[in-house]
Amino acid sequence: MYNDLGQLIQEAGPAFPAQVTGIDGVPDAGAPFDAMADEKEARNISQHRIEFERIGNAGAATGTSSKVTLENMNEFIKQGALKELKVIIKADVRGSAEAIKESLEKLSTPEVKLNVIQSGAGAIVDMDVMLASASNALIIGFHVRANPKTIALAEKEGVQIKYYNIIYQVVDEIKLAMEGLLEPEKIEEVIGTAEIREILKYLR
């Protein structure tokens, strides 16, 4: 690293002009700069940042912003772009929603705070999706689901909805996602829906 006079320097303070060598490409203005003692670690960080940028570019190309999902969450955390993980919880009963909320909030770390911005009982509706989209939040459904119209809206907005039936699975998946150890996502394909119009009692 050199100053504006071409002299070798060891540090450069704020607003101090400096020339840095050894960079493969031109970084964006405002990009974080880290000095690493180990070249391997430096390359790993570089690859993570390239992947993070790729995720953002993919979102821009499809007309959607890069929203947080369980699968890409760890990349956001590594880049320092995620300081607060926001979650919306909908459950079949309020007691379950509160239990999940308390368990998830305990997962907060010094790097990332887990914030349940809304929890309650009832099905996942359009309003939940719009709140998640505006807040860049995940939606967790516990023993409840969204109807096809709401699912379509979530896909359009890039909001991830995850369904669970066991509380510890909710906690374990989000914990693993925050640590970057989550297994590949299982895709659920809905092939049809049914609506119960009436229940008839059969008497022998």
Side-chain angles (χ1 to χ4, degrees):
M1 184 165 61
Y2 303 88
N3 62 15
D4 56 331
L5 300 177
Q7 299 169 331
L8 186 65
I9 56 175
Q10 296 297 319
E11 61 181 33
F16 189 93
Q19 179 183 5
V20 181
T21 60
I23 301 176
D24 292 337
V26 180
D28 295 328
F33 187 92
D34 297 300
M36 312 301 298
D38 182 74
E39 182 180 354
K40 182 179 179 181
E41 186 177 359
R43 289 186 181 278
N44 286 337
I45 291 176
S46 176
Q47 289 301 316
H48 285 313
R49 288 182 177 169
I50 291 172
E51 176 64 16
F52 180 73
E53 184 177 350
R54 183 190 66 77
I55 293 171
N57 290 339
T62 57
T64 61
S65 59
S66 188
K67 298 291 178 67
V68 173
T69 67
L70 290 185
E71 289 69 39
N72 69 17
M73 180 192 306
N74 191 251
E75 286 300 324
F76 280 88
I77 294 173
K78 287 177 180 177
Q79 299 308 317
L82 184 65
K83 299 297 184 183
E84 183 180 42
L85 173 60
K86 299 175 183 178
V87 177
I88 294 173
I89 301 171
K90 297 300 289 287
D92 52 344
V93 294
R94 181 168 292 278
S96 295
E98 289 299 319
I100 295 171
K101 177 182 177 181
E102 290 181 9
S103 297
L104 290 183
E105 288 178 341
K106 292 178 182 178
L107 297 179
S108 294
T109 68
E111 292 78 23
V112 182
K113 176 185 177 183
L114 200 151
N115 181 18
V116 178
I117 61 175
Q118 180 173 284
S119 65
I124 299 167
V125 296
D126 291 1
M127 189 176 297
D128 299 320
V129 172
M130 296 311 297
L131 175 60
S133 178
S135 307
N136 198 12
L138 303 172
I139 298 179
I140 291 174
F142 186 76
H143 283 297
V144 297
R145 304 185 75 82
N147 62 39
K149 177 174 172 289
T150 301
I151 292 173
L153 177 62
E155 292 175 351
K156 177 183 176 183
E157 295 293 327
V159 172
Q160 185 177 46
I161 301 175
K162 299 289 288 186
Y163 301 114
Y164 299 93
N165 295 314
I166 304 174
I167 291 180
Y168 80 80
Q169 288 181 342
V170 182
V171 179
D172 286 351
E173 270 210 4
I174 291 188
K175 182 179 180 181
L176 289 173
M178 292 174 70
E179 296 173 350
L181 301 175
L182 188 66
E183 294 182 356
E185 180 185 12
K186 296 179 181 178
I187 304 297
E188 178 182 285
E189 182 179 354
V190 179
I191 59 175
T193 59
E195 180 181 349
I196 299 174
R197 294 296 184 90
E198 187 177 357
I199 298 177
L200 302 176
K201 294 183 178 180
Y202 175 71
L203 300 176
R204 288 187 172 182

